[in-house]
Amino acid sequence: MHTHQAARHSLLEPVLAGVVTALVGFTSSFAVVLAGLRATGATPEQAASGLLALTAVVGLGIVLLSLRYRIPVTLSWSTPGAALLAGASIPAGGWPAAVGAFLVTGAMIALTGAVPWLGHLVARIPQHLAQAMLAGVLLPLCLAPFQALGTIPLLVLPVIVIWLAASAVVPKWAVPLALAAALAVIALQFAVDGTRIEASTLAPTLTLTLPALEPAALVGIALPLYVVTMASQNLPGVAVLSSFGYRAPWRPAMAVTGAGTAIAAPFGGHAVNLAALSAALSAGDGAGRDRDRRWIAALTAGLTYLVLAGASGALVVVVGAAPAGLVEAVAGLALISTMATAATASFSDPTGRMSGAVTFLLAASGLSIAGIGGAFWALVGGLAVRAALERRSAL
C-alpha cells in the first residue's frame, strides 16, 4: 500500500507541474499575442484564429518532443515576438504581408536547426543589443497599465492592486490572478451595461489567410521577429534546460518549432519556440524528485495546452468586448518583469552602454522608415554605434 501511494505521489507532482506550466504560460501572455496580431492588421476573428493555432501547435509540439526524448522540454509562443508586433504598425500589404512574414520566420527557425552557422550568427549578435531592442519594444506596452489609470481608473486599479499583492506572495501567479481580476471587472461591467454575448460566438474557429511576401514586411517583421525569438526564447530555453541537467534536442526542437510556426502562420500564428521562463516549472524540483519522470510534466503541459485551445475562442470574445484599455493594461503588467530584465541586461556592460541606449531609444520611438518598423532600425543603429564608438573597448 505504501509503495502504491508513493507511486501515485511521484506521478501527481509532475502532472500538477505540467498543468501549472500550461496555465501560467497561456494566461500570462495570451493578451499580448492578441495585441500583437491586431496591431499588424488582424481582424478580431483572425486574431482569435491565430491564438487557437498557436495554442494547438504548442500543445502538439510539446507532446511530440516529450514523448520522443523523455525530457521535460516545453514550447511556447514567442511573447517577446508578440510584444514586438504590438509595437509595430500594419505593414504594406496589410495582414497577408504579416502572415507572409510569420511564414518566413518559421522557415528561418527551421533552417537554424539544419544549418549550424545560422545559430552561431544569431549568438554573435551582442546580447546587450538584442536585450535593448526587446526592452525598447516593451516599454510602450508596459506604460499601458499606468496610462489606463488616467482613463479608466476604477476598472484598472483593482487589477493593478491584485497584481502587486500576488507579486509579493505568489509571483508566478501574479499575472494569471491579474487576468482573473480583469475578467471579474469585465463581467461586472457587462452586468451594469446589460451586455450579452451569444453562446454561438464562443466556439474557437480557424481563419485561413493566404500569405503575401512583401519586402518591407520581411525586413521589418520577419527579421526582428526571428532575432528576438532566437535571442530571448530559444537560446535561453536551452540554457534553462541545461541548468537542470537536461540537454535540449536542438535540431529536432528547431525543426518542430520552425515547422509549427509555418503551419500556424496561415491561420494567424506568429512564432513558436522553446519555452524559457515557464520551462523551469516543468524541469525544476517542483516537477518531482525523480528527474527521469519530469518529462511527464512536459507531456501534461502539452495536453493542457490542447484543452486550453478549446477555450481560446471564448476568451477572445470576452476580451474583445472589454472596456478599451483594460486588457492592454493586463498585457502591460505581464511584460514589466521581462522589460526590467531586458533593460538591466542592456546597460550591464559599461563599454556597451551607448549602443545599448541608442538601440533602446530607437526601438521605443515607434520609428518607421520605408514601411520598416523601429525594431529593425534599432538593431542597425545599435550595431553602427557599437562599430563607431565601442570597437576598441570591445576588443
Side-chain angles (χ1 to χ4, degrees), residues 243-383:
S243 71
F244 291 106
Y246 300 100
R247 183 176 180 180
W250 174 254
R251 288 193 174 190
M254 292 304 96
V256 168
T257 55
T261 299
I263 290 169
F267 300 103
H270 67 294
V272 176
N273 46 248
L274 286 170
L277 296 176
S278 61
L281 298 174
S282 287
D285 294 340
R289 294 181 181 178
D290 188 349
R291 296 180 65 261
D292 293 333
R293 301 190 74 180
R294 290 180 189 171
W295 68 271
I296 297 172
L299 176 63
T300 306
L303 295 174
T304 306
Y305 266 111
L306 294 176
V307 173
L308 289 171
S312 63
L315 279 171
V316 171
V317 171
V318 172
V319 164
L326 184 59
V327 177
E328 289 81 359
V330 176
L333 293 174
L335 294 168
I336 287 177
S337 176
T338 303
M339 194 276 289
T341 301
T344 301
S346 304
F347 305 110
S348 60
D349 180 5
T351 63
R353 283 179 182 163
M354 184 61 73
S355 60
V358 169
T359 303
F360 171 78
L361 293 170
L362 278 171
S365 69
L367 173 71
S368 178
I369 300 175
I372 299 171
F376 172 77
W377 298 117
L379 270 182
V380 171
L383 288 170

